[in-house]
Amino acid sequence: MMSSREHVSTGSPWEPLVGYSRAIRVGNVVEVAGTTAMKDGKVIAVGNAYEQTRYILQTIEQVLAQVGASLSDVVRTRMFVTDISAWEDIGRAHGEYFNTIRPVATMVEVKALIDPDLLVEIEVQAIVDNDRAIG
């Protein structure tokens, strides 16, 4: 029997254009797509990797809630950064959200993100307790 599949959209103009969802929950697994510090088509906190990371993690927290999950369910984070020398600022923000949860984490430097002012993109995977219903 196939598990139910729930898609979450944040209204990004790229979601229908590219053909993806911000998050998908299938059974007790939640995957959240790469999330950046953009709101209404504008980059938040230009030049500040710490604040961009905080904004991204706040967005991810809201998306997880839409499918009955929370940050405490996150088992993996992947951070794509355009300047690895900012790792301490990015890591500090990540630690503020995940200090006691401690998911496995990867941080890699990439050449560029979709907008040159974006410094960080984060995706997460969460596994939800089977007793918690979707949405």
Side-chain angles (χ1 to χ4, degrees):
M1 179 162 101
M2 173 116 172
S3 295
S4 63
R5 181 178 173 119
E6 181 178 3
H7 298 258
V8 175
S9 173
T10 54
S12 160
W14 297 284
E15 290 171 18
L17 179 68
V18 178
Y20 75 97
S21 296
R22 174 63 41 214
I24 293 179
R25 177 173 174 173
V26 177
N28 68 334
V29 176
V30 180
E31 297 281 354
V32 179
T35 303
T36 60
M38 291 193 84
K39 183 176 181 179
D40 300 325
K42 302 214 185 307
V43 176
I44 303 296
V46 172
N48 189 326
Y50 171 79
E51 288 299 330
Q52 284 192 16
T53 303
R54 286 182 45 81
Y55 182 87
I56 292 164
L57 294 172
Q58 289 167 4
T59 301
I60 288 172
E61 185 172 33
Q62 293 165 2
V63 167
L64 288 168
Q66 291 181 55
V67 292
S70 70
L71 291 177
S72 65
D73 297 309
V74 172
V75 296
R76 170 177 286 288
T77 63
R78 290 181 183 94
M79 296 166 276
F80 305 95
V81 304
T82 59
D83 181 0
I84 201 69
S85 72
W87 75 268
E88 289 181 85
D89 289 335
I90 296 162
R92 181 167 45 99
H94 186 276
E96 289 171 7
Y97 283 82
F98 292 111
N99 188 340
T100 60
I101 301 163
R102 300 183 61 147
V104 296
T106 301
M107 183 187 301
V108 297
E109 184 177 61
V110 297
K111 183 177 177 182
L113 297 171
I114 201 150
D115 183 296
D117 287 329
L118 291 171
L119 306 173
V120 182
E121 183 168 334
I122 301 173
E123 61 182 38
V124 305
Q125 180 183 47
I127 299 177
V128 182
D129 182 333
N130 282 327
D131 294 336
R132 270 190 272 156
I134 293 177

